[in-house]
Amino acid sequence: MKIIVAVKRVVDYNIKIRVKPDGTGVDLSHVKMSMNPFDEIAVEEAIRQKEVGKISEVVLVSIGSEAAQETLQVGLAMGADRAILVKTEEVLEPLAIAKTLKTIILEEKPTMVFLGKQAIDDESNQTGQMLAALLGWGQATFASHLNIEGHQAIITREVDGGTQTICLPLPVVMTTDLRLNEPRYTSLPNIIKAKKKPIEQKALADLCVDTRARLTVLNIEEPQSRQAGIKVANVAELVSALKKTSCI
Amino acid sequence: MAILLLAEHNNHSLSEETAKALTAAHLIGSDVDILVCGMKVQSIAENSAKLAGVRQVLIAEADYLAHQLAEPMAATIVELANNYDVIMAASTSIGKSVMPRVAAFLDLMQISDIIAVVTPDTFKRPIYAGNAIETVRANDYQKIITVRTASFAPTPQGNSAPIKTITPAPNPNLSSFVKEETNISDRPNLTSARVIVAGGRGFGSQEKFMELLIPLANKLGAAVGASRAAVDAGYAPNDWQIGQTGKIVAPKLYIAIGISGAIQHLAGIMDAQTIVAINKDEEAPIMHIADYALVGDLHHIIPELEKALL
């Protein structure tokens, strides 16, 4: 059994991004990039499943520029076996990403595909669900617990109001929530070892996937900033201020 | 423009999220049908039919729709898709799971989490944890949209639209329900509450969190929320989490206590009308965006605040 994990290179989650003044985008030059935090959780889960002997191989896939190799290296250092980079300079929409992943999955024939529940840059929360639809597989979104039992996966999901547990026949697409696990740190020896692990490169153009954009971004702007507030000295002042604004 | 809106419900009652998403739908077009999927959901359909400006309510009942799993839901919506220009849902855990599946089946891109309708095919949506707002135009002939309900007021009642029963698509049998665990609460729902009090790591323990925050919330008739740090530390259940990866809220009053205000948390509360921050650290980021900031130890301030509210 093999697990494919899709990983995305995004702006590090600690960075406060800056919108370009001309409204064309977000300034990503000289900004620290990292693996999308939800994808780290997906990689961690795949490796844990391998460690308990439920699966035999963990393959990472990333779609993006040459620089995405760094992200794949991180996953390899965490313990993944090999990686595939689908190279493109374009920024693809989730539908195009799902279609591209599908071609890799039909080739690799994994039993499960893990993705993060959303990327922290475009915040679409779509790719996993779209991929499951394109493959005709079942989907388990927002997973916080996974148990592979024979030919099925029993997955607990974070839903509004609590949790829901579902059972799916394999193969399955699963997207990870924060609660699934705590990703491990990569050690220096493992980082060095990872450099010897193979990263297969494919050109997006060779995969014959329809990746044309369906949405046009017209503008990107700063959100309306909140007006600076006032500092109140004590509880009495706070309560009277709130009463004045009829908040309470 | 014909629009299909997926009703958001928990099998017992129609969620207010539906009425909020309906407001967004009306900004796009006027012929809005609401689809109610589930089992024994007649009363939910009836309540949907009461919402102003609804053309008709479609009700799809089957035992395999009882838990609103994504695969049979998406299959049913896809069968109806030919009749609609736009298919919409609230950005809830159900809407987020089902709609991208529908979009891929129809070979459409979804526009996630819209916060404003600029024109019927142009929308605003937050990206980068709400630190940027993007305006996107959909070029596809059909549109799939999820709505950030915190950004829209609910559509009022005042209607009695016809209810039509439809046959759901057969069960694709790709998933089955095992069990659910619901966090029962008699307090207001986080996403629709007028007042929210939220706690962070500053409480130090689950005991203090519950002991101090709950009575204050009760006094204010408020919902209780938490930062990710508080949830991770086990002070509060997961579904109390407010922020980029938790719930997005827009109450009239948001009181953040012992919360520093990381980017990810602020992403969830930027639409609150009034923000109060109580923190011992004057330099905490939340103190800079709060309308009223009070510096001090929450262990002393909360009991004092409670007394002052008598």
Side-chain angles (χ1 to χ4, degrees), chain B residues 4-283:
Chain B
L4 184 68
L5 172 65
L6 182 65
E8 174 70 26
H9 68 85
N10 60 0
N11 290 314
H12 305 294
S13 57
L14 180 70
S15 160
E16 200 184 30
E17 315 279 316
T18 310
K20 291 179 178 175
L22 180 59
T23 299
H26 283 318
L27 293 169
I28 299 169
S30 50
D31 298 330
V32 184
D33 293 355
I34 292 185
L35 171 65
V36 183
C37 290
M39 190 62 195
K40 297 191 183 132
V41 285
Q42 184 65 33
S43 71
I44 291 163
E46 283 162 16
N47 284 326
S48 305
K50 286 181 192 159
L51 293 171
V54 172
R55 184 173 67 173
Q56 64 173 342
V57 174
L58 307 177
I59 176 166
E61 288 188 297
D63 54 358
Y64 54 82
L65 288 173
H67 300 287
Q68 302 184 68
L69 298 179
E71 298 87 353
M73 294 269 286
T76 295
I77 295 170
V78 167
E79 281 198 358
L80 295 168
N82 267 341
N83 307 325
Y84 296 96
D85 304 296
V86 183
I87 303 173
M88 304 176 63
S91 263
T92 57
S93 51
I94 292 171
K96 286 177 189 171
S97 293
V98 172
M99 298 302 274
R101 196 171 174 95
V102 172
F105 274 127
L106 299 172
D107 195 28
L108 300 168
M109 238 318 272
Q110 171 179 302
I111 305 124
S112 293
D113 244 1
I114 63 162
I115 57 168
V117 177
V118 182
T119 70
D121 63 3
T122 306
F123 311 92
K124 285 185 193 261
R125 56 179 301 269
I127 52 175
Y128 292 94
N131 287 301
I133 308 294
E134 101 181 333
T135 305
V136 288
R137 189 181 62 220
N139 304 321
D140 283 323
Y141 60 100
Q142 269 180 312
K143 285 178 256 309
I144 307 287
I145 295 169
T146 62
V147 180
R148 175 170 289 196
T149 49
S151 302
F152 298 90
T155 300
Q157 296 195 342
N159 191 7
S160 55
I163 298 174
K164 186 175 145 195
T165 302
I166 60 158
T167 311
N171 189 1
N173 278 319
L174 292 167
S175 62
S176 57
F177 174 81
V178 178
K179 63 171 181 179
E180 66 192 348
E181 273 162 42
T182 316
N183 298 323
I184 298 156
S185 164
D186 45 10
R187 268 182 297 279
N189 196 333
L190 259 185
T191 47
S192 56
R194 221 182 123 267
V195 180
I196 295 173
V197 291
R201 212 197 316 253
F203 281 81
S205 71
Q206 188 193 13
E207 291 71 38
K208 281 286 169 206
F209 191 95
M210 296 298 172
E211 182 190 312
L212 290 166
L213 213 50
I214 303 294
L216 179 63
N218 289 345
K219 188 144 280 179
L220 289 162
V224 185
S227 69
R228 184 181 164 194
V231 170
D232 282 350
Y235 303 171
N238 296 346
D239 71 322
W240 288 14
Q241 188 189 317
I242 292 169
Q244 184 187 20
T245 57
K247 298 212 164 60
I248 312 289
V249 298
K252 200 163 164 23
L253 174 62
Y254 186 78
I255 305 179
I257 308 174
I259 292 178
S260 66
I263 298 170
Q264 294 81 358
H265 184 75
L266 301 183
I269 62 167
M270 290 315 268
D271 289 328
Q273 255 176 52
T274 302
I275 296 176
V276 171
I278 298 170
N279 208 299
K280 64 178 182 206
D281 178 7
E282 205 172 328
E283 293 306 317

Side-chain angles (χ1 to χ4, degrees), chain A residues 14 27 40 45 79 83 91 97 122 124 132-133 148 164 180 212 245:
Chain A
N14 278 315
D27 190 357
E40 268 185 8
E45 190 62 25
V91 176
I97 296 284
D122 68 17
S124 295
I148 302 172
Q164 178 191 62
L180 186 60
R212 74 202 143 91
T245 56

